[in-house]
Amino acid sequence: MDLDPLKRAAAAVAVDMVEDGMVVGLGTGSTARHAIGLLGERCHRGLRFTGVPTSVASADLARSLGIPLIESPTAAPIDLGIDGADEIAEADLTLIKGRGGALLREKIVATLCRRLVIIADETKLAPRLSGRVAVPVEVVRFGWESTADRIARLGCHPALKRTRAGDTFRTDGGNLILDCVFDDLSDPPAVERALSMIVGVVETGLFLDLATTALVASPAGVRRFDRAKTG
Ligand code: A5P
């Protein structure tokens, strides 16, 4: 099945949420690309907003469409972020993100967003994180094999991310990505805490308590999920 029309349908609903004068986080990946394209169209029709890109690729695309950009966010809040995900837990909108390697900037932008809207086709939705989708973990190059060894001891199988051509993948920040399939991902906050304690780990693709809304497209339409407020 061609998932592209579904990705575009979810993106269209998110892009309709953008209002004049907003600062908008621009995600990365094939679904977020649709959102940036549609935002470019709204920009041409006169909507005024400023984008905060989460990767060099998204910045390049947005710039080519004439979207005004803040290249590096300040401490000021971002009104609305629109981004994709690799897996979305329907129960609490916990996410796995970063298959495109942009997880660090994506998480920085996500933490600044008043509202973070995740757009996806239905294949990304699961009742809870399934444990089948690899969690990307960004690590510094120096000593990465020892970092991978420590991560493996948490109960996973880290694989160094490579480009399609087979070269070692480098993030926009010059780091490496280890794709980690965990034996047990039933407690994502515990995994996140354990990973964050390991020296050499820069950031993880576990996004906890960040998404406020998920827009998930199927042939039947776009379903909206809102995270229940905690605290
Ligand atoms: C980029 O690093 C990722 O977080 C993407 O947002 C995620 O992998 C979803 O990408 P697609 O929309 O291409 O599936």
Side-chain angles (χ1 to χ4, degrees):
M1 181 182 176
D2 180 10
L3 297 174
D4 223 44
L6 300 184
K7 295 178 185 191
R8 190 177 169 86
V13 177
V15 165
D16 276 349
M17 295 175 174
V18 176
E19 293 166 14
D20 212 53
M22 276 187 169
V23 177
V24 183
L26 306 176
T28 296
S30 58
T31 317
R33 258 202 306 274
H34 281 295
I36 297 171
L38 292 165
L39 281 168
E41 289 173 18
R42 289 198 70 190
C43 185
H44 279 288
R45 290 200 299 271
L47 185 77
R48 288 171 307 126
F49 65 94
T50 309
V52 185
T54 53
S55 62
V56 171
S58 292
D60 288 347
L61 175 60
R63 211 178 288 111
S64 76
L65 298 171
I67 297 174
L69 297 179
I70 298 170
E71 299 284 349
S72 177
T74 63
I78 294 168
D79 297 298
L80 179 72
I82 304 175
D83 205 345
D86 302 316
E87 190 166 53
I88 304 166
E90 185 178 336
D92 57 4
L93 301 194
T94 292
L95 311 171
I96 294 177
K97 282 185 54 53
R99 203 174 60 182
L103 62 102
L104 175 58
R105 292 189 188 184
E106 287 176 335
K107 201 180 264 191
I108 291 171
V109 169
T111 58
L112 288 167
C113 286
R114 289 196 173 101
R115 286 187 292 156
L116 176 63
V117 176
I118 297 300
I119 50 178
D121 63 76
E122 60 181 348
T123 64
K124 306 288 184 67
L125 191 66
R128 299 185 175 280
L129 293 188
S130 64
R132 289 190 297 274
V133 175
V135 178
V137 180
E138 183 160 345
V139 300
V140 294
R141 273 183 283 163
F142 186 81
W144 73 268
E145 281 158 307
S146 68
T147 308
D149 193 51
R150 287 193 181 88
I151 293 173
R153 279 185 244 150
L154 299 179
C156 71
H157 314 279
L160 184 65
K161 185 177 178 67
R162 297 195 176 275
T163 64
R164 282 207 183 105
D167 301 322
T168 302
F169 178 90
R170 296 274 170 83
T171 68
D172 285 349
N175 298 313
L176 305 178
I177 296 282
L178 298 171
D179 284 322
C180 303
V181 176
F182 281 86
D183 299 334
D184 179 4
L185 198 53
S186 58
D187 187 354
V191 173
E192 169 75 351
R193 275 194 303 275
L195 283 169
S196 307
M197 303 273 294
I198 294 175
V199 65
V201 168
V202 178
E203 194 46 84
T204 88
L206 286 169
F207 282 48
L208 313 174
D209 301 328
L210 288 172
T212 49
T213 299
L215 298 169
V216 181
S218 73
V222 178
R223 287 171 74 196
R224 176 176 172 146
F225 302 86
D226 288 300
R227 179 162 58 89
K229 285 203 169 51
T230 50

PDB file of all heavy atoms in Angstrom, residues 90-109:
ATOM      1  N   GLU A  90      -0.524   4.574  21.648  1.00  0.00           N
ATOM      2  CA  GLU A  90      -1.846   5.204  21.742  1.00  0.00           C
ATOM      3  C   GLU A  90      -2.202   5.530  23.197  1.00  0.00           C
ATOM      4  O   GLU A  90      -2.861   6.527  23.472  1.00  0.00           O
ATOM      5  CB  GLU A  90      -2.896   4.261  21.135  1.00  0.00           C
ATOM      6  CG  GLU A  90      -4.274   4.870  21.070  1.00  0.00           C
ATOM      7  CD  GLU A  90      -5.303   3.945  20.412  1.00  0.00           C
ATOM      8  OE1 GLU A  90      -4.904   3.060  19.626  1.00  0.00           O
ATOM      9  OE2 GLU A  90      -6.494   4.106  20.702  1.00  0.00           O
ATOM     10  N   ALA A  91      -1.726   4.701  24.128  1.00  0.00           N
ATOM     11  CA  ALA A  91      -2.105   4.862  25.539  1.00  0.00           C
ATOM     12  C   ALA A  91      -1.703   6.225  26.098  1.00  0.00           C
ATOM     13  O   ALA A  91      -2.475   6.854  26.819  1.00  0.00           O
ATOM     14  CB  ALA A  91      -1.467   3.748  26.366  1.00  0.00           C
ATOM     15  N   ASP A  92      -0.502   6.697  25.782  1.00  0.00           N
ATOM     16  CA  ASP A  92      -0.019   7.936  26.408  1.00  0.00           C
ATOM     17  C   ASP A  92       0.797   8.818  25.463  1.00  0.00           C
ATOM     18  O   ASP A  92       1.448   9.769  25.888  1.00  0.00           O
ATOM     19  CB  ASP A  92       0.838   7.597  27.645  1.00  0.00           C
ATOM     20  CG  ASP A  92       2.005   6.679  27.292  1.00  0.00           C
ATOM     21  OD1 ASP A  92       2.198   6.377  26.090  1.00  0.00           O
ATOM     22  OD2 ASP A  92       2.734   6.262  28.217  1.00  0.00           O
ATOM     23  N   LEU A  93       0.776   8.498  24.175  1.00  0.00           N
ATOM     24  CA  LEU A  93       1.536   9.239  23.141  1.00  0.00           C
ATOM     25  C   LEU A  93       3.053   9.252  23.408  1.00  0.00           C
ATOM     26  O   LEU A  93       3.740  10.196  23.021  1.00  0.00           O
ATOM     27  CB  LEU A  93       0.993  10.655  22.941  1.00  0.00           C
ATOM     28  CG  LEU A  93      -0.473  10.778  22.528  1.00  0.00           C
ATOM     29  CD1 LEU A  93      -0.775  12.186  22.024  1.00  0.00           C
ATOM     30  CD2 LEU A  93      -0.883   9.779  21.460  1.00  0.00           C
ATOM     31  N   THR A  94       3.539   8.239  24.093  1.00  0.00           N
ATOM     32  CA  THR A  94       4.987   8.026  24.117  1.00  0.00           C
ATOM     33  C   THR A  94       5.414   7.688  22.685  1.00  0.00           C
ATOM     34  O   THR A  94       4.694   6.996  21.965  1.00  0.00           O
ATOM     35  CB  THR A  94       5.325   6.845  25.061  1.00  0.00           C
ATOM     36  OG1 THR A  94       5.027   7.262  26.394  1.00  0.00           O
ATOM     37  CG2 THR A  94       6.786   6.460  24.985  1.00  0.00           C
ATOM     38  N   LEU A  95       6.588   8.188  22.308  1.00  0.00           N
ATOM     39  CA  LEU A  95       7.018   8.026  20.915  1.00  0.00           C
ATOM     40  C   LEU A  95       8.400   7.397  20.822  1.00  0.00           C
ATOM     41  O   LEU A  95       9.229   7.569  21.722  1.00  0.00           O
ATOM     42  CB  LEU A  95       7.144   9.396  20.233  1.00  0.00           C
ATOM     43  CG  LEU A  95       5.999  10.387  20.349  1.00  0.00           C
ATOM     44  CD1 LEU A  95       6.449  11.731  19.797  1.00  0.00           C
ATOM     45  CD2 LEU A  95       4.775   9.873  19.599  1.00  0.00           C
ATOM     46  N   ILE A  96       8.632   6.719  19.708  1.00  0.00           N
ATOM     47  CA  ILE A  96      10.002   6.466  19.250  1.00  0.00           C
ATOM     48  C   ILE A  96      10.193   7.330  18.018  1.00  0.00           C
ATOM     49  O   ILE A  96       9.360   7.320  17.106  1.00  0.00           O
ATOM     50  CB  ILE A  96      10.237   4.983  18.908  1.00  0.00           C
ATOM     51  CG1 ILE A  96      10.130   4.132  20.172  1.00  0.00           C
ATOM     52  CG2 ILE A  96      11.614   4.798  18.255  1.00  0.00           C
ATOM     53  CD1 ILE A  96      10.277   2.638  19.930  1.00  0.00           C
ATOM     54  N   LYS A  97      11.268   8.116  18.028  1.00  0.00           N
ATOM     55  CA  LYS A  97      11.582   8.990  16.898  1.00  0.00           C
ATOM     56  C   LYS A  97      13.058   8.869  16.575  1.00  0.00           C
ATOM     57  O   LYS A  97      13.833   8.357  17.361  1.00  0.00           O
ATOM     58  CB  LYS A  97      11.276  10.455  17.252  1.00  0.00           C
ATOM     59  CG  LYS A  97       9.793  10.769  17.173  1.00  0.00           C
ATOM     60  CD  LYS A  97       9.512  12.249  17.414  1.00  0.00           C
ATOM     61  CE  LYS A  97      10.277  13.198  16.537  1.00  0.00           C
ATOM     62  NZ  LYS A  97      10.178  12.942  15.087  1.00  0.00           N
ATOM     63  N   GLY A  98      13.415   9.340  15.386  1.00  0.00           N
ATOM     64  CA  GLY A  98      14.832   9.471  15.064  1.00  0.00           C
ATOM     65  C   GLY A  98      15.364   8.513  14.039  1.00  0.00           C
ATOM     66  O   GLY A  98      16.579   8.453  13.841  1.00  0.00           O
ATOM     67  N   ARG A  99      14.472   7.777  13.366  1.00  0.00           N
ATOM     68  CA  ARG A  99      14.999   6.864  12.345  1.00  0.00           C
ATOM     69  C   ARG A  99      15.742   7.641  11.249  1.00  0.00           C
ATOM     70  O   ARG A  99      16.624   7.104  10.602  1.00  0.00           O
ATOM     71  CB  ARG A  99      13.866   6.027  11.745  1.00  0.00           C
ATOM     72  CG  ARG A  99      14.386   4.734  11.143  1.00  0.00           C
ATOM     73  CD  ARG A  99      13.288   3.854  10.680  1.00  0.00           C
ATOM     74  NE  ARG A  99      12.492   4.525   9.654  1.00  0.00           N
ATOM     75  CZ  ARG A  99      11.426   4.019   9.080  1.00  0.00           C
ATOM     76  NH1 ARG A  99      10.978   2.858   9.461  1.00  0.00           N
ATOM     77  NH2 ARG A  99      10.769   4.668   8.150  1.00  0.00           N
ATOM     78  N   GLY A 100      15.341   8.911  11.076  1.00  0.00           N
ATOM     79  CA  GLY A 100      16.040   9.752  10.106  1.00  0.00           C
ATOM     80  C   GLY A 100      17.311  10.357  10.676  1.00  0.00           C
ATOM     81  O   GLY A 100      18.024  11.080   9.983  1.00  0.00           O
ATOM     82  N   GLY A 101      17.575  10.091  11.951  1.00  0.00           N
ATOM     83  CA  GLY A 101      18.828  10.559  12.548  1.00  0.00           C
ATOM     84  C   GLY A 101      18.771  11.972  13.101  1.00  0.00           C
ATOM     85  O   GLY A 101      19.792  12.522  13.500  1.00  0.00           O
ATOM     86  N   ALA A 102      17.567  12.569  13.151  1.00  0.00           N
ATOM     87  CA  ALA A 102      17.484  13.970  13.579  1.00  0.00           C
ATOM     88  C   ALA A 102      16.982  14.112  15.018  1.00  0.00           C
ATOM     89  O   ALA A 102      16.541  15.180  15.427  1.00  0.00           O
ATOM     90  CB  ALA A 102      16.560  14.738  12.632  1.00  0.00           C
ATOM     91  N   LEU A 103      17.083  13.039  15.804  1.00  0.00           N
ATOM     92  CA  LEU A 103      16.398  13.018  17.095  1.00  0.00           C
ATOM     93  C   LEU A 103      16.855  14.091  18.070  1.00  0.00           C
ATOM     94  O   LEU A 103      16.056  14.591  18.858  1.00  0.00           O
ATOM     95  CB  LEU A 103      16.526  11.630  17.734  1.00  0.00           C
ATOM     96  CG  LEU A 103      17.931  11.153  18.048  1.00  0.00           C
ATOM     97  CD1 LEU A 103      18.227  11.291  19.512  1.00  0.00           C
ATOM     98  CD2 LEU A 103      18.085   9.715  17.599  1.00  0.00           C
ATOM     99  N   LEU A 104      18.126  14.481  18.022  1.00  0.00           N
ATOM    100  CA  LEU A 104      18.609  15.458  19.003  1.00  0.00           C
ATOM    101  C   LEU A 104      17.926  16.802  18.810  1.00  0.00           C
ATOM    102  O   LEU A 104      17.333  17.361  19.735  1.00  0.00           O
ATOM    103  CB  LEU A 104      20.132  15.588  18.904  1.00  0.00           C
ATOM    104  CG  LEU A 104      20.773  16.657  19.781  1.00  0.00           C
ATOM    105  CD1 LEU A 104      20.463  16.422  21.259  1.00  0.00           C
ATOM    106  CD2 LEU A 104      22.290  16.693  19.556  1.00  0.00           C
ATOM    107  N   ARG A 105      17.990  17.324  17.582  1.00  0.00           N
ATOM    108  CA  ARG A 105      17.341  18.619  17.339  1.00  0.00           C
ATOM    109  C   ARG A 105      15.826  18.489  17.485  1.00  0.00           C
ATOM    110  O   ARG A 105      15.158  19.407  17.962  1.00  0.00           O
ATOM    111  CB  ARG A 105      17.702  19.141  15.944  1.00  0.00           C
ATOM    112  CG  ARG A 105      19.166  19.529  15.844  1.00  0.00           C
ATOM    113  CD  ARG A 105      19.452  20.239  14.552  1.00  0.00           C
ATOM    114  NE  ARG A 105      20.891  20.429  14.396  1.00  0.00           N
ATOM    115  CZ  ARG A 105      21.454  21.084  13.406  1.00  0.00           C
ATOM    116  NH1 ARG A 105      20.707  21.610  12.459  1.00  0.00           N
ATOM    117  NH2 ARG A 105      22.764  21.216  13.339  1.00  0.00           N
ATOM    118  N   GLU A 106      15.307  17.337  17.070  1.00  0.00           N
ATOM    119  CA  GLU A 106      13.858  17.135  17.206  1.00  0.00           C
ATOM    120  C   GLU A 106      13.445  17.212  18.670  1.00  0.00           C
ATOM    121  O   GLU A 106      12.410  17.790  19.008  1.00  0.00           O
ATOM    122  CB  GLU A 106      13.451  15.779  16.626  1.00  0.00           C
ATOM    123  CG  GLU A 106      13.502  15.746  15.110  1.00  0.00           C
ATOM    124  CD  GLU A 106      13.189  14.368  14.536  1.00  0.00           C
ATOM    125  OE1 GLU A 106      13.379  13.360  15.232  1.00  0.00           O
ATOM    126  OE2 GLU A 106      12.763  14.318  13.390  1.00  0.00           O
ATOM    127  N   LYS A 107      14.263  16.626  19.540  1.00  0.00           N
ATOM    128  CA  LYS A 107      13.871  16.636  20.961  1.00  0.00           C
ATOM    129  C   LYS A 107      14.045  18.020  21.566  1.00  0.00           C
ATOM    130  O   LYS A 107      13.229  18.457  22.388  1.00  0.00           O
ATOM    131  CB  LYS A 107      14.651  15.583  21.755  1.00  0.00           C
ATOM    132  CG  LYS A 107      13.944  15.212  23.048  1.00  0.00           C
ATOM    133  CD  LYS A 107      14.681  14.178  23.869  1.00  0.00           C
ATOM    134  CE  LYS A 107      14.184  12.781  23.640  1.00  0.00           C
ATOM    135  NZ  LYS A 107      14.735  11.817  24.623  1.00  0.00           N
ATOM    136  N   ILE A 108      15.088  18.734  21.145  1.00  0.00           N
ATOM    137  CA  ILE A 108      15.265  20.109  21.653  1.00  0.00           C
ATOM    138  C   ILE A 108      14.058  20.954  21.261  1.00  0.00           C
ATOM    139  O   ILE A 108      13.469  21.671  22.083  1.00  0.00           O
ATOM    140  CB  ILE A 108      16.575  20.726  21.116  1.00  0.00           C
ATOM    141  CG1 ILE A 108      17.788  20.027  21.733  1.00  0.00           C
ATOM    142  CG2 ILE A 108      16.622  22.236  21.402  1.00  0.00           C
ATOM    143  CD1 ILE A 108      19.132  20.407  21.128  1.00  0.00           C
ATOM    144  N   VAL A 109      13.655  20.848  19.999  1.00  0.00           N
ATOM    145  CA  VAL A 109      12.490  21.622  19.536  1.00  0.00           C
ATOM    146  C   VAL A 109      11.230  21.149  20.257  1.00  0.00           C
ATOM    147  O   VAL A 109      10.423  21.956  20.719  1.00  0.00           O
ATOM    148  CB  VAL A 109      12.356  21.523  17.994  1.00  0.00           C
ATOM    149  CG1 VAL A 109      11.015  22.079  17.520  1.00  0.00           C
ATOM    150  CG2 VAL A 109      13.504  22.279  17.313  1.00  0.00           C
TER     151      VAL A 109
END
